[in-house]
Amino acid sequence: MSAQNNTDLTPASFVLNGIPGLEDMHIWISFPFCSMYAVAMMGNCGLLYLIVFEDSLHRPMYYFLAMLSLADLVMCSSTIPKALCIFWFHLKEIGFDDCLVQMFFTHTFTLMESGVLMLMALDRYVAICYPLHYSTILTNAIIAKIGFATYLRGALLIIPIIFVIKHLPYCRGNIINHTYCDHMSVAKLSCGNVKVNAIYGLMVALLIGGIDILCITVSYTMILRTVVSLSSADARQKAFSTCTAHICAIVFSYSPAFFSFFSHRFGGHTIPPSCHIIVANIYLLLPPTMNPIVYGVKTKQIRDCVIRILSGLKDFKAHSM
């Protein structure tokens, strides 16, 4: 009987309200969102193309970069197109099941991005501290297994959230004050007990974030010790330069995540909801936008591949004329 009552209290759809308080600014906010999304799509698709078709990039470091690009593409494509539909066309309605699917992909690939950044730190650790064993430790089979395990970790942790959300009774309306179906934004519409949701979500964030950040910190501590012990200044500079792009990716990913996490818990009454929503969207947009740019600029092999392709296009146009 309880299950039947919960079914009766499940809305057919939700209404995503965008950014409350800034409705008049939606059209202007959409321009940077759209620009960043376009750059993210072109940049990450370009990176994936290069890594697949350029033999010089068939190395562990670039396989992990391909995983990061894939996570970035799914993460931002799960939310930004719908946000732009809200801003431009006022298409705010989203089906209940569609909302759950969006929630699953957004949160799963957010966790996957964190996991891939951790794997990339371990990759740099092996490359710098054990260079002679690099290719034997990180074989293609090992990379495929740990990459799949990273995705599976995120999916298995998010599935219970989706299951609980699906079976909650909803009697506080169907308007979500957000641009996408965030876990707690949906849970707050329920008239059931959502303490489990809040505690589980917090535990997942702390557990995954804590483990990944710990592994990254330990990896770079060991890298720093190894690099400092090198006798050649050129060798030290080269070793540090291979880590620059990854450190930038870590900053772009974790900075808005930390701000969002701590502001929700310690500045909830002083920071307006619109600020939380904008930061949540920046968290999903900034890493996918900046990662291809940083890796394209900082990584010589990728830069050389891009220059060679552009030179080939230029020569082709010259001959065709």
Side-chain angles (χ1 to χ4, degrees):
M1 187 73 178
S2 176
Q4 180 64 42
N5 290 339
N6 285 1
T7 303
D8 293 341
L9 291 173
T10 299
S13 62
F14 291 113
V15 175
L16 293 168
N17 215 20
I19 307 176
L22 296 178
E23 289 85 357
D24 294 339
M25 298 291 292
H26 275 180
I27 192 67
W28 299 107
I29 295 171
S30 70
F31 291 127
F33 274 44
C34 182
S35 301
M36 292 174 73
Y37 181 61
V39 171
M41 290 297 293
M42 290 187 292
N44 286 290
C45 287
L47 271 181
L48 287 172
Y49 174 86
L50 289 176
I51 293 167
V52 169
F53 291 104
E54 290 290 335
D55 292 338
S56 61
L57 301 183
H58 291 175
R59 294 169 54 193
M61 171 183 172
Y62 302 107
Y63 293 147
F64 288 124
L65 180 57
M67 293 180 197
L68 186 67
S69 290
L70 183 62
D72 283 341
L73 282 171
V74 176
M75 193 170 69
C76 65
S77 295
S78 299
T79 56
I80 302 304
K82 181 60 181 177
L84 294 177
C85 287
I86 295 169
F87 296 154
W88 288 342
F89 310 115
H90 303 289
L91 298 176
K92 299 183 177 184
E93 189 172 2
I94 184 170
F96 182 78
D97 290 335
D98 296 335
C99 182
L100 296 184
V101 170
Q102 185 190 57
M103 188 187 302
F104 172 79
F105 279 102
T106 304
H107 292 308
T108 296
F109 281 87
T110 298
L111 295 181
M112 183 178 175
E113 166 140 347
S114 178
V116 173
L117 288 173
M118 180 264 291
L119 294 179
M120 294 173 84
L122 296 177
D123 166 74
R124 291 299 82 207
Y125 164 69
V126 175
I128 293 172
C129 299
Y130 301 98
L132 298 179
H133 303 286
Y134 181 57
S135 58
T136 56
I137 294 174
L138 291 175
T139 62
N140 289 348
I142 291 294
I143 292 169
K145 288 176 183 177
I146 59 179
F148 179 72
T150 303
Y151 163 75
L152 200 61
R153 179 188 73 163
L156 291 177
L157 287 171
I158 296 303
I159 285 173
I161 290 176
I162 304 301
F163 180 82
V164 173
I165 286 287
K166 184 174 179 63
H167 292 88
L168 283 174
Y170 293 90
C171 55
R172 294 177 179 168
N174 67 336
I175 297 176
I176 302 172
N177 289 320
H178 216 301
T179 56
Y180 63 91
C181 290
D182 175 66
H183 168 218
M184 287 309 298
S185 297
V186 176
K188 287 175 182 177
L189 297 179
S190 172
C191 47
N193 188 350
V194 296
K195 284 185 179 179
V196 173
N197 296 68
I199 293 171
Y200 182 79
L202 182 60
M203 286 178 59
V204 168
L206 291 176
L207 180 65
I208 296 299
I211 291 174
D212 291 347
I213 291 170
L214 177 63
C215 289
I216 291 169
T217 303
V218 172
S219 296
Y220 272 102
T221 301
M222 301 301 290
I223 288 170
L224 189 61
R225 288 178 57 185
T226 301
V227 171
V228 169
S229 66
L230 295 174
S231 56
S232 169
D234 289 339
R236 287 197 296 269
Q237 183 179 0
K238 184 178 180 181
F240 275 128
S241 66
T242 63
C243 300
T244 305
H246 181 241
I247 293 171
C248 291
I250 292 170
V251 172
F252 290 136
S253 181
Y254 284 113
S255 295
F258 281 138
F259 177 85
S260 181
F261 180 82
F262 287 112
S263 63
H264 265 295
R265 281 149 188 83
F266 303 111
H269 299 293
T270 57
I271 300 175
S274 58
C275 183
H276 290 298
I277 295 170
I278 291 172
V279 171
N281 280 276
I282 290 173
Y283 173 53
L284 298 177
L285 262 178
L286 187 64
T289 303
M290 295 306 299
N291 288 343
I293 296 172
V294 170
Y295 274 94
V297 172
K298 293 290 185 181
T299 309
K300 184 178 184 298
Q301 290 87 342
I302 294 176
R303 194 166 63 243
D304 290 344
C305 289
V306 172
I307 291 171
R308 188 169 66 252
I309 291 173
L310 293 177
S311 298
L313 289 174
K314 185 178 179 181
D315 292 341
F316 176 77
K317 287 182 179 179
H319 287 305
S320 64
M321 292 175 67

